[in-house]
Amino acid sequence: MSAPAQARPARPRAARGRPYRRESVGVVERAVRWSLMAVAMALVLGPLVWQLSTALKGAGESTAGFPGNLVPVDPTLDNFVTAFTAIPLGRYLLNSAAISTLGVTTNLVLATLTGYALARVAFRGRALYVAILLATAALPFEVILVSTLLVTRGLGLQDTLLGVVLPQAVSIVSIFVMRQAFINVPDEIEEAAVVDGAGPLRVFWSVMLPSVRGSLAVVAVLGFLDTWDQFLWPLVILSDPANYPVNVGVQFLSGAFSADQRVISAAALIVVVPPLLVYFLMQRQVFTGLAEGALKG
């Protein structure tokens, strides 16, 4: 007799129907994700594209209506040239660059030192200090605007770039970002440095700071965006138009070219370029810092 035929192995139940169902679910899930991403990109990039289209249109093209003529018939850069010649836009950009550089520097230094003290240094009243900081973070700047103006005037800093920076030299959010970053550094690293003979300053500079590089990048980028976008406080404390940052100075175009949206759109695009450049140059460090905080937190 011939050898009995081997029984055909039964197909696993999971392999008969469920993989196809999972595959279909995966396709639907990916389609939903891509659709949501497309909607988000349209909401974010749509106004920017429309503004760029308006800035590139010539004098004979209409800017009224939506969507209108999205692609300019005869693209021109004359609106950007007019934005620089109608007002001292270059001077305003330099003022904003100086304010942002000084603001980022002071915010990094003060937030790092304060966050380190709140995270790694034991002192009496630390919990109370943290609670006070949290309470002040809930207050909008408009609540203390008048008192801040009086103090700044009393210090003789009115109508100066330093007067723009110092009242908001450090952000409460930046302090807590750095505090959380220092808390997440393992104690063993600090203890090993102390055993090797490192003093407090050496531990802070050579051990703790390299461990929170990602968070430093996050604080730097957030600080730059915050100082570059300032409008209300510079408008209040500055009286000389030559000291205006770009967000305040560009408002002169609304009076001189109230009916010409092309020039206003061109100036607004110029204002947006520096924050975009900073973000694209620092995005890897920012994502690294956010990922480190998510993993350690």
Side-chain angles (χ1 to χ4, degrees):
M1 295 179 59
S2 60
Q6 294 182 353
R8 188 175 182 179
R11 190 177 183 182
R13 182 179 180 182
R16 288 198 296 267
R18 293 185 179 179
Y20 300 101
R21 185 180 303 174
R22 291 177 182 175
E23 183 178 356
S24 62
V25 171
V27 172
V28 173
E29 183 178 354
R30 285 194 296 270
V32 172
R33 288 181 179 179
W34 281 103
S35 300
L36 293 177
M37 290 175 60
V39 172
M41 290 184 63
L43 292 176
V44 173
L45 297 179
L48 189 62
V49 172
W50 177 258
Q51 199 167 25
L52 178 61
S53 172
T54 303
L56 294 176
K57 289 181 178 180
E61 296 186 59
S62 175
T63 59
F66 182 84
N69 185 17
L70 186 60
V71 180
V73 177
D74 187 15
T76 179
L77 297 178
D78 292 342
N79 297 318
F80 294 91
V81 176
T82 304
F84 273 98
T85 57
I87 60 174
L89 189 58
R91 176 65 180 270
Y92 296 153
L93 289 171
L94 291 178
N95 292 340
S96 291
I99 292 172
S100 298
T101 301
L102 185 58
V104 169
T105 303
T106 56
N107 187 49
L108 267 177
V109 173
L110 296 178
T112 302
L113 294 177
T114 308
Y116 179 77
L118 294 177
R120 314 295 294 198
V121 180
F123 60 90
R124 182 177 299 178
R126 183 171 64 176
L128 178 61
Y129 188 78
V130 173
I132 293 175
L133 284 179
L134 285 174
T136 57
L139 296 176
F141 182 71
E142 289 76 9
V143 175
I144 59 173
L145 178 63
V146 176
S147 59
T148 304
L149 178 61
L150 295 177
V151 172
T152 306
R153 283 181 175 177
L155 295 175
L157 297 177
Q158 185 179 5
D159 205 20
T160 63
L161 299 184
L162 193 60
V164 177
V165 175
L166 285 185
Q168 303 181 62
V170 62
S171 168
I172 303 299
V173 174
S174 299
I175 291 176
F176 280 93
V177 169
M178 296 309 303
R179 175 178 178 268
Q180 187 63 32
F182 284 121
I183 287 177
N184 291 330
V185 176
D187 296 335
E188 291 78 6
I189 297 179
E190 185 177 6
E191 294 171 356
V194 173
V195 170
D196 290 340
L201 183 59
R202 181 65 180 275
V203 170
F204 173 76
W205 184 262
S206 301
V207 177
M208 303 302 293
L209 283 183
S211 301
V212 296
R213 287 192 301 265
S215 297
L216 289 173
V218 173
V219 170
V221 172
L222 293 179
F224 178 83
L225 296 178
D226 185 44
T227 53
W228 185 269
D229 291 338
Q230 286 189 69
F231 175 78
L232 179 60
W233 175 243
L235 182 63
V236 172
I237 196 62
L238 297 176
S239 57
D240 187 0
N243 294 327
Y244 281 170
V246 68
N247 283 325
V248 179
V250 79
Q251 300 302 312
F252 287 114
L253 289 174
S254 299
F257 297 93
S258 58
D260 195 344
Q261 297 298 323
R262 305 169 186 83
V263 178
I264 297 176
S265 297
L269 287 174
I270 295 172
V271 174
V272 170
V273 169
L276 290 179
L277 288 177
V278 170
Y279 173 76
F280 283 119
L281 291 175
M282 298 288 293
Q283 61 177 333
R284 179 176 298 179
Q285 290 80 1
V286 170
F287 286 132
T288 300
L290 295 176
E292 288 177 355
L295 293 175
K296 294 177 182 178

